[in-house]
């Protein structure tokens, strides 16, 4: 099988199995197998795959055809220009979450202490530490398996982050200048309507925001003030229709200057309040 034939096989197989981005995913998996970029492909499209490469590619394509996310096959996802290991123990980092990191970076002070709640893969806190090495970086998650993934990602990206297995603030015993969080925020009843890749493969623990999707915003907003220094910030990623409700929760818990930031699609994506 040549590179061109492999790509056509992959695209056709994924299209038949109703994978939306079949052409793109077929290419990414081929690139992953041959360890070459697109320019190489166009110059060598008649080159034969080795037997082991062909077997791996077919296996990966068949796995993707079962609607297993691409990132769980390649075991990696890029975020803020860094590469993160991912598996089914953590949510796959999304580009929308980069808005949270960018807005947090604008407010970070030198030598500030930052806590990332519900850290998952660690992509938020590791990106913050990578962008400002002077900060004191902490992150927590209730899942021990997620903590293991975050530890690996901190090591890969040479980020000094203190990781704590904790149910929100339960294991936290100090104050911070900033708390950031992308908590589970999808209402339970909505999850069954998500695309198959998400509802069947990404961790429910990282998705389920309980009945109205606001459970974790309520808890964090209520408790965060006692863990923040004067002049500190609480920064959330939110669902596109949650800005009004989360703003009210933050104001009820005495956060000031609550600001809503939109994503590139013009949807409400981040809320930041000050102590």
């Amino acid at each position: 099988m040549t590179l061109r034939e492999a790509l056509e096989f992959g695209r056709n197989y994924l299209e038949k199995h109703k994978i939306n981005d079949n052409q793109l995913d077929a290419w990414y998996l081929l690139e992953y197998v041959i360890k070459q970029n697109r320019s190489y492909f166009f110059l060598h499209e008649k080159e034969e795959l080795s037997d082991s490469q062909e077997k791996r590619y077919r296996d990966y394509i068949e796995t993707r055809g079962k609607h297993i996310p691409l990132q769980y096959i390649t075991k990696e996802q890029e975020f803020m220009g860094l590469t993160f290991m991912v598996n089914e123990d953590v949510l796959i980092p999304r580009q929308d979450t980069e808005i949270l990191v960018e807005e947090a970076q604008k407010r970070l002070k030198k030598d500030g202490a930052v806590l990332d709640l519900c850290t998952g893969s660690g992509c938020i806190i590791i990106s913050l530490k990578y962008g400002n090495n002077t900060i004191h970086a902490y992150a927590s998650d209730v899942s021990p398996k997620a903590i293991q993934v975050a530890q690996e990602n901190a090591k890969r990206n040479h980020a000094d982050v203190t990781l704590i297995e904790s149910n929100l603030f339960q294991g936290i015993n100090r104050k911070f200048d900033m708390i950031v969080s992308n908590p589970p925020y999808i209402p339970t009843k909505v999850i069954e309507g998500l695309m198959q890749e998400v509802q069947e493969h990404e961790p429910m623990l990282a998705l389920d925001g309980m009945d109205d999707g606001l459970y974790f915003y309520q808890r964090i907003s209520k408790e965060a003030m006692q863990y923040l220094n004067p002049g500190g910030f609480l920064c959330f990623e939110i669902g596109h229709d949650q800005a009004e409700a989360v703003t009210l929760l933050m104001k009820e818990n005495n956060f000031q200057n609550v600001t809503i930031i939109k994503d590139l699609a013009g949807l409400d994506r981040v809320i930041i309040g000050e102590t």
Side-chain angles (χ1 to χ4, degrees):
M1 184 184 284
T2 66
L3 296 182
R4 169 61 66 181
E5 289 169 344
L7 186 62
E8 285 302 305
F9 159 76
R11 185 187 65 78
N12 291 334
Y13 187 95
L14 295 181
E15 183 178 32
K16 179 181 177 181
H17 288 79
K18 304 188 185 312
I19 303 298
N20 291 336
D21 296 323
N22 51 76
Q23 187 160 353
L24 194 58
D25 286 2
W27 164 252
Y28 279 143
L29 289 172
L30 183 59
E31 182 183 49
Y32 182 66
V33 167
I34 66 174
K35 308 298 183 189
Q36 298 289 345
N37 61 24
R38 196 164 298 212
S39 298
Y40 180 93
F41 171 83
F42 287 119
L43 290 171
H44 302 85
E45 60 181 56
K46 294 183 179 179
E47 182 179 300
E48 295 275 340
L49 290 171
S50 69
D51 290 344
S52 62
Q53 286 176 326
E54 181 175 338
K55 183 182 185 306
R56 286 177 63 210
Y57 186 64
R58 286 181 180 275
D59 288 345
Y60 291 153
I61 288 293
E62 289 173 7
T63 301
R64 182 69 185 100
K66 296 174 183 175
H67 290 263
I68 293 173
L70 177 75
Q71 295 88 342
Y72 290 157
I73 300 171
T74 63
K75 303 298 182 186
E76 63 183 32
Q77 170 69 9
E78 185 177 304
F79 181 85
M80 293 295 295
L82 304 174
T83 300
F84 290 87
M85 182 191 88
V86 293
N87 59 29
E88 293 194 1
D89 296 321
V90 297
L91 200 68
I92 298 166
R94 265 71 168 179
Q95 187 176 10
D96 289 338
T97 304
E98 293 186 356
I99 306 294
L100 175 61
V101 174
E102 290 164 357
E103 292 299 324
Q105 284 175 331
K106 294 175 185 177
R107 295 161 173 82
L108 272 174
K109 63 181 183 181
K110 188 176 180 180
D111 295 324
V114 185
L115 171 65
D116 175 19
L117 289 174
C118 311
T119 194
S121 68
C123 64
I124 294 172
I125 193 65
I126 291 167
S127 297
L128 289 173
K129 179 67 175 178
Y130 190 87
N132 182 349
N133 196 45
T134 68
I135 67 170
H136 305 279
Y138 295 77
S140 74
D141 202 287
V142 71
S143 165
K145 291 183 177 179
I147 290 292
Q148 289 176 2
V149 173
Q151 286 173 335
E152 173 61 25
N153 282 323
K155 181 179 178 181
R156 286 187 179 197
N157 289 290
H158 310 289
D160 182 10
V161 177
T162 300
L163 290 152
I164 305 161
E165 184 183 330
S166 173
N167 185 350
L168 298 182
F169 293 105
Q170 191 176 62
I172 307 301
N173 55 17
R174 61 160 295 166
K175 289 197 172 188
F176 302 89
D177 300 295
M178 177 180 286
I179 295 171
V180 297
S181 185
N182 177 20
Y185 60 70
I186 300 174
T188 304
K189 63 181 180 295
V190 173
I191 291 175
E192 65 183 21
L194 298 176
M195 61 190 298
Q196 188 176 341
E197 280 85 345
V198 176
Q199 63 167 299
E200 292 185 5
H201 298 287
E202 297 205 55
M204 194 61 57
L205 196 64
L207 295 171
D208 192 353
M210 309 300 179
D211 289 345
D212 58 3
L214 299 174
Y215 173 80
F216 291 97
Y217 298 116
Q218 291 171 332
R219 282 196 58 188
I220 294 170
S221 296
K222 185 176 181 179
E223 299 176 41
M225 192 68 76
Q226 61 185 302
Y227 292 93
L228 282 166
N229 292 320
F233 296 93
L234 175 59
C235 310
F236 283 127
E237 178 174 334
I238 58 169
H240 68 89
D241 57 352
Q242 294 175 320
E244 184 177 350
V246 177
T247 296
L248 182 60
L249 284 171
M250 294 178 77
K251 288 182 176 179
E252 286 176 348
N253 288 283
N254 300 315
F255 284 93
Q256 308 296 314
N257 302 320
V258 179
T259 304
I260 302 167
I261 297 102
K262 296 183 182 295
D263 61 21
L264 297 177
L267 301 174
D268 295 334
R269 183 58 58 189
V270 169
I271 290 188
I272 298 178
E274 302 176 35
T275 57

